[in-house]
Amino acid sequence: VHKAPPFILSLYLLSNACAFIYMLLAVWLSMHASIAAHSFGVRLLTRFVRLPIPSIQELNKLTYQLRDYETQGVQNVLRLPFLDRSGNKWKSVSQEGGNKPLAASSSSSGPSSAPHPERE
């Protein structure tokens, strides 16, 4: 059995040590990249692409519109959508004033752009 010369043995050990250090560096940098990407994703979702959280006034307006929908009657609830353009004349039943129209749409182009009396 022949023994390898010492300079070849030292080159072999040096290349193995460099490969091991390269592997440790690759694992360390990949872990750092994973943590940095997750951190940036959380920052992006919480600071820049924040979900719109409605205010109390917006929630009250939505509740008001749902109450109008519920009081409109069976013939409007069971109608086919987009078949009759004049079917979106909802009426509000309020505690104070009785029946009053909210948004009467007379044209066939869609809902009217008249402002709501309580939303200004």
Side-chain angles (χ1 to χ4, degrees), residues 3-11:
K3 193 167 186 176
F7 71 94
I8 293 184
L9 188 59
S10 64
L11 288 176

Side-chain angles (χ1 to χ4, degrees), residues 39-51:
S39 172
F40 183 73
V42 168
R43 192 178 89 184
L44 181 70
L45 288 175
T46 56
R47 292 187 185 171
F48 299 116
V49 189
R50 188 173 291 267
L51 291 175

Side-chain angles (χ1 to χ4, degrees), residues 10 17 46 69 75 90:
S10 64
T46 56
Y69 175 77
Q75 69 275 6
W90 296 351

Side-chain angles (χ1 to χ4, degrees), residues 11-98:
L11 288 176
Y12 172 73
L13 291 176
L14 182 65
S15 71
N16 280 344
C18 286
F20 185 72
I21 290 173
Y22 185 76
M23 183 187 69
L24 286 179
L25 185 65
V27 168
W28 179 49
L29 290 177
S30 67
M31 295 291 283
H32 178 68
S34 174
I35 292 169
H38 183 70
S39 172
F40 183 73
V42 168
R43 192 178 89 184
L44 181 70
L45 288 175
T46 56
R47 292 187 185 171
F48 299 116
V49 189
R50 188 173 291 267
L51 291 175
I53 299 173
S55 66
I56 297 297
Q57 292 84 13
E58 291 172 338
L59 287 175
N60 289 337
K61 289 177 187 178
L62 180 64
T63 306
Y64 191 67
Q65 291 175 353
L66 289 175
R67 183 178 55 191
D68 293 341
Y69 175 77
E70 291 170 353
T71 59
Q72 68 180 337
V74 178
Q75 69 275 6
N76 282 336
V77 172
L78 298 178
R79 70 179 173 85
L80 293 174
F82 307 112
L83 187 63
D84 184 21
R85 296 281 185 191
S86 64
N88 56 1
K89 296 176 184 173
W90 296 351
K91 297 206 182 246
S92 169
V93 179
S94 67
Q95 312 295 347
E96 303 85 34

